[in-house]
Amino acid sequence: MQGENFTVWSFFFLEGFSKYPRLEIALFVFSLVMYLVTILGNSTLILITVLDSHLQTPMYLFLGNLSFMDICYTSASIPTLLVNLLSSKKTIIFSGCAVQMYLSLSMGSTECVLLAVMAYDRYVAICNPLRYPIIMNRQACVQMATVSWVTGCLTALLETSFALQIPLCGNVIDHFTCEILAVLKLACMSSLLMDMVMLVVSVLLLPIPMLLICISYGFILSTILRISSTEGRNKAFSTCGAHLTVVILYYGAALSMYLKPSSSNSQEIDKIISLLYGVLTPMLNPIIYSLRNKEVKDAVKKILGKGPLALGI
């Protein structure tokens, strides 16, 4: 449908990694394996937190939400990537592109807020252990998780709505998914309003949660250093080590993708970072929590019948 100087596109071409046809089979195998491990690992983590009564705690409530987000985030883009890596017709309809953009943004944004909530949970557990059951009661935890979801979903809806209203002068997206920055590069004109929305959302979901996480871990570190026994320090470090590792992986990938300087090869680098960010980080989350957490290991053994006879007993 022709407008004044632009076209309203009914579908888009996803260029993806088509410039490197010899790598597409290898990328397909890599992405498929990582995707299956991500689904299996995160689904298992959700299952054991539901089935084992010993894991009905705030930390595992948040961890279950994190695992569900990772499943949704990877499922928003990786299946399309897998199909396109084996197809010569790498297209996606407009509505599919809109859904993909929204899901990716909403899951990523929600995770930013949830990681800050999880850092606060670790702060209360270590710095105020006696008041932990009172502060982090079931109702408070559900409210915190709900705020994370609502914030992420609403900001993603705002960004997606504005992005899809901007006239585009082409329908070839130089990416393997409908990533918002890649789509906006097709805009016929700059939009001050869209730039302001992106700036406000970026500040809200990157620096502010990171600041809250840093403050939480500052208090945590100060408290741990005052613990006299080595065993006590090690136990305190182990309770937040997995979360801190996930935070570094998540924000490291996010910051390198959105805050890096542009260059002639920036789009190709964006694709590689997005692929690693989309499959590697969600895959590693359940592995990190399983390897560093004795409670998770014990729960898995129970489910496999290698531990106590019944869950929660």
Side-chain angles (χ1 to χ4, degrees):
M1 183 172 61
Q2 296 294 324
E4 294 181 359
N5 294 310
F6 60 90
T7 302
V8 178
W9 305 100
S10 60
F11 65 93
F12 296 95
F13 291 99
L14 295 173
E15 189 167 317
F17 299 97
S18 56
K19 293 179 181 178
Y20 313 99
R22 295 182 180 180
L23 292 178
E24 288 190 325
I25 296 300
L27 287 172
F28 174 83
V29 174
F30 170 79
S31 301
L32 178 61
V33 171
M34 295 297 102
Y35 179 61
L36 293 177
V37 173
T38 297
I39 298 299
L40 178 62
N42 285 286
S43 298
T44 301
L45 205 50
I46 293 173
L47 181 65
I48 63 176
T49 56
V50 171
L51 294 180
D52 194 328
S53 61
H54 294 105
L55 300 184
Q56 305 290 317
T57 61
M59 185 177 77
Y60 293 104
L61 170 67
F62 298 137
L63 184 55
N65 277 265
L66 182 65
S67 293
F68 181 71
M69 289 175 204
D70 286 338
I71 291 174
C72 294
Y73 183 82
T74 53
S75 298
S77 58
I78 301 305
T80 301
L81 170 64
L82 293 174
V83 172
N84 288 340
L85 285 172
L86 298 181
S87 173
S88 58
K89 188 179 181 182
K90 308 176 189 298
T91 60
I92 184 171
I93 61 174
F94 179 84
S95 58
C97 185
V99 170
Q100 193 177 76
M101 183 187 296
Y102 173 73
L103 286 176
S104 296
L105 286 171
S106 59
M107 294 304 104
S109 301
T110 303
E111 188 161 342
C112 284
V113 182
L114 186 67
L115 287 174
V117 170
M118 293 174 74
Y120 175 73
D121 171 69
R122 293 299 83 203
Y123 157 73
V124 177
I126 294 174
C127 300
N128 296 283
L130 297 180
R131 298 186 61 200
Y132 181 75
I134 300 173
I135 298 175
M136 300 303 293
N137 59 70
R138 182 74 179 180
Q139 182 179 358
C141 293
V142 171
Q143 290 175 346
M144 291 179 187
T146 302
V147 168
S148 300
W149 280 98
V150 171
T151 302
C153 291
L154 288 182
T155 54
L157 181 62
L158 183 67
E159 288 182 292
T160 304
S161 300
F162 277 103
L164 295 178
Q165 293 178 27
I166 294 177
L168 305 177
C169 289
N171 68 335
V172 180
I173 300 174
D174 190 11
H175 212 283
F176 62 84
T177 182
C178 287
E179 199 268 335
I180 187 168
L181 296 180
V183 173
L184 291 177
K185 288 182 179 180
L186 301 176
C188 299
M189 62 192 76
S190 61
S191 170
L192 179 60
L193 182 59
M194 185 68 218
D195 291 341
M196 291 299 298
V197 169
M198 292 285 290
L199 177 62
V200 170
V201 171
S202 296
V203 171
L204 178 66
L205 297 177
L206 282 175
I208 293 180
M210 280 186 65
L211 178 61
L212 295 176
I213 291 171
C214 290
I215 292 173
S216 296
Y217 275 101
F219 283 112
I220 288 172
L221 182 61
S222 176
T223 300
I224 290 176
L225 293 177
R226 291 199 300 267
I227 298 175
S228 57
S229 68
T230 303
E231 182 182 353
R233 288 185 183 180
N234 291 337
K235 185 177 180 180
F237 273 121
S238 67
T239 61
C240 57
H243 174 259
L244 188 58
T245 304
V246 170
V247 167
I248 293 172
L249 284 172
Y250 182 84
Y251 278 101
L255 292 174
S256 62
M257 185 161 57
Y258 290 102
L259 300 182
K260 66 175 182 58
S262 60
S263 65
S264 58
N265 298 320
S266 62
Q267 192 59 34
E268 299 306 312
I269 296 173
D270 281 346
K271 294 178 191 177
I272 295 172
I273 294 175
S274 294
L275 181 60
L276 295 176
Y277 180 69
V279 297
L280 198 58
T281 304
M283 183 204 72
L284 289 175
N285 285 352
I287 296 175
I288 292 169
Y289 276 99
S290 299
L291 291 177
R292 298 185 62 92
N293 197 306
K294 185 177 182 297
E295 291 176 320
V296 174
K297 292 178 184 178
D298 291 342
V300 172
K301 290 178 181 178
K302 291 177 185 179
I303 292 176
L304 295 176
K306 297 179 180 178
L309 294 176
L311 292 169
I313 298 177

